[in-house]
Amino acid sequence: MDLVNILNLGIKEIRGLLRDPIMMFLVVFSFTVQIYTSATAVIETLNRAPISVVDEDDSPVSNRIIQAFQPPYFTPPVLITQGEMDRRMDEGRDTFALDIPPGFQRDLLAGKVPEIQLNVDATRMAQAFSGSGYVQQIVAAEVNEFLNHYRSSEPPSADLVLRARYNPTLNGGWFQAIMGISDSVTLLALVLAGAALIREREHGTIEHLLVMPVTPLEIMVSKIWSMSLVVLVGTAFSLVVMCEWLLGIPVNGSLALFLLGTALHLFATASLGIFLATVAGSMPQFGILMILVLLPLQVLSGAQTPRESMPQLVQDIMLFAPNTHYVILSQSVLFRGAGLDVIWPQMIWLAGIGAALFSISLHYFRRFLK
């Protein structure tokens, strides 16, 4: 294996990537716009939920309830009539519609237990389930304060103090942005490595390589290191510029240690991308194969849902996927500030899986060149 050949072939791959506007757009978009939108647009917690109120009582207590719904959890309530409630919810203009019946304050002062109707658009799942609890707590707090003439709560006999070491405000955007980077790393490693090989076939340059004094091992290694370098640079840029500087998301652990783990993950995933490219006959076929492989890798890796909630069989199978160990490594380093003494098992797993995938891909790549 000639290192000079590997270096020159890798530079050729980077130049070919720079001349491909579609691939360059995908790289830039994945590490900039996608990360920003993951942190700011995809919010799982209740945020500015639209609410309307039918105030049939028009009393001081009903006004207190209406004024209690404020941003950022709710938009300022809109006062509507009974006839507008169903129409507005059918049009998707309101997620919650609160109906305060006539005589509500009179019944409260008389010691009765009046009822308030809450209509919820359950098709908006992210807001409907958590928002119903918020509405119930707000109404109960305002009613109790009105009846007792002061706001108070009985101190619990045992108090549980919660302290979040990372993300004390529990901002879901922080987690979405960091996990979005790991998803982009996997996606781009598969796409760039596989597309580099298919581009050789479609442009007819694969025959040129076969008559040159280079080996299949040198060709494959050059494609892996060049495309991995592009993704690695994008990962560092996204963490430092997009997350830390632009979004204000802190990184607790060592950036160098995280990039080392990313390099091992890229070695494994890029090898898998070349294997898929040798199986596929064209770019459309490669795209279909990549979807079939990429979706299970990302969904079952633990980035979206905890692995502990999955069936044991799925957990055992996913131990042989590089994503699983990369997600554990990323969360440990970036969220909890873990060091090499904690993540060394994931490093070994990634190196072993990468070596296995590289050997398999090299075998099929040699057959591909014949």
Side-chain angles (χ1 to χ4, degrees), residues 164-350:
R165 293 183 57 188
Y166 181 80
N167 195 357
T169 59
L170 300 181
N171 185 351
W174 288 18
F175 301 107
Q176 294 290 340
I178 298 298
M179 289 297 97
I181 293 178
S182 66
D183 290 341
S184 296
V185 168
T186 304
L187 170 65
L188 292 175
L190 286 172
V191 172
L192 296 183
L197 179 58
I198 295 180
R199 187 165 53 238
E200 299 275 12
R201 171 188 288 177
E202 293 181 345
H203 293 175
T205 56
I206 191 69
E207 289 80 5
H208 298 169
L209 293 176
L210 294 178
V211 298
M212 293 176 63
V214 294
T215 64
L217 177 61
E218 294 171 351
I219 298 174
M220 182 171 168
V221 171
S222 66
K223 294 183 182 299
I224 291 178
W225 83 256
S226 57
M227 297 300 101
S228 298
L229 178 62
V230 172
V231 179
L232 198 64
V233 171
T235 302
F237 172 85
S238 186
L239 268 178
V240 176
V241 178
M242 297 301 300
C243 291
E244 290 192 289
W245 294 357
L246 183 61
L247 297 173
I249 301 175
V251 176
N252 282 344
S254 170
L255 178 61
L257 185 60
F258 170 72
L259 292 179
L260 176 60
T262 302
L264 292 175
H265 177 62
L266 288 170
F267 169 61
T269 313
S271 300
L272 178 60
I274 290 180
F275 168 73
L276 295 179
T278 58
V279 175
S282 61
M283 188 64 78
Q285 293 180 4
F286 173 71
I288 295 174
L289 283 176
M290 191 188 67
I291 292 175
L292 295 177
V293 173
L294 184 64
L295 287 180
L297 285 179
Q298 293 186 341
V299 172
L300 303 178
S301 63
Q304 300 181 8
T305 57
R307 294 186 65 249
E308 293 76 12
S309 62
M310 302 177 188
Q312 187 61 43
L313 178 61
V314 176
Q315 296 184 40
D316 296 339
I317 294 175
M318 289 304 295
L319 285 176
F320 298 95
N323 278 57
T324 301
H325 306 283
Y326 182 61
V327 168
I328 296 175
L329 182 148
S330 301
Q331 294 176 346
S332 299
V333 174
L334 301 179
F335 293 161
R336 295 185 288 272
L340 185 60
D341 58 326
V342 175
I343 63 170
W344 65 266
Q346 281 70 47
M347 293 283 197
I348 294 178
W349 269 101
L350 286 173

Side-chain angles (χ1 to χ4, degrees), residues 5 25 29-31 40 75 77 81 90 94-95 111 128 141-142 147 171 175 212 215 234 244 249 301 309 352 361:
N5 289 342
F25 173 79
F29 177 86
S30 299
F31 286 122
T40 57
T75 59
T81 63
D90 291 340
D94 296 326
T95 303
E142 295 300 327
L147 293 176
N171 185 351
F175 301 107
M212 293 176 63
T215 64
E244 290 192 289
I249 301 175
S301 63
S309 62
S361 300

